[in-house]
Amino acid sequence: SAMKKEVISTPLGPSAIGPYSQAIRAGDLLFVSGQIPLDPSTGKLIEDKDIGAQTRRALQNLLAIVSAAGGSSDSVVKTTVFLKDMNDFAEMNAVYAEFFRSDAPARATVEASRLPRDVAVEIDCIAVLE
């Protein structure tokens, strides 16, 4: 039998605009779509172009979706961070560390020449739910 897929959607994260879901739960695994620094209440990009502020908003969005599925930051086992400029790594990393203090998830960080809406950072994740 096919594995049951459940779409996770919350107004606490930016609405999916296009043919994708905020997240998909498959069994105990949660796959969260890449999050950028959109303000979920307005659907607009945050005004602060600072990489720290953009990273914080992207992670807040990511974890709001994980939370809507019944998880927390401790549930996250893998993240991918896409940076427009690898020179922003240290500043992104400092903010990232505020969200994952102990037993941090596995991570890949990739420099991408262009991200949606020309943002400086996009982050996705996989989480394991109880």
Side-chain angles (χ1 to χ4, degrees):
S1 67
M3 180 179 285
K4 188 169 146 279
K5 281 188 352 184
E6 178 189 354
V7 173
I8 303 297
S9 183
T10 175
L12 298 177
S15 300
I17 306 159
Y20 66 94
S21 300
Q22 286 176 331
I24 293 288
R25 181 175 184 162
D28 291 337
L29 294 177
L30 182 71
F31 299 87
V32 183
S33 292
Q35 296 300 308
I36 62 174
L38 286 172
D39 181 337
S41 62
T42 64
K44 294 184 178 355
L45 289 175
I46 63 168
E47 293 190 8
D48 197 335
K49 300 300 180 212
D50 174 73
I51 185 64
Q54 288 203 23
T55 301
R56 185 169 288 108
R57 182 75 256 176
L59 284 167
Q60 287 167 340
N61 293 343
L62 195 76
L63 292 175
I65 296 165
V66 171
S67 179
S72 70
S73 61
D74 290 336
S75 311
V76 178
V77 295
K78 172 76 167 73
T79 63
T80 309
V81 178
F82 300 93
L83 286 175
K84 186 172 182 164
D85 184 350
M86 198 57 86
N87 291 321
D88 288 339
F89 182 88
E91 204 175 338
M92 172 281 293
N93 201 45
V95 172
Y96 183 97
E98 297 171 13
F99 288 82
F100 301 107
R101 294 187 181 280
S102 62
D103 299 329
R107 180 176 79 184
T109 304
V110 180
E111 183 177 272
S113 61
R114 194 161 178 218
L115 293 168
R117 309 279 288 271
D118 291 318
V119 297
V121 63
E122 178 176 11
I123 306 171
D124 72 7
C125 78
I126 300 169
V128 178
L129 304 172
E130 298 300 317

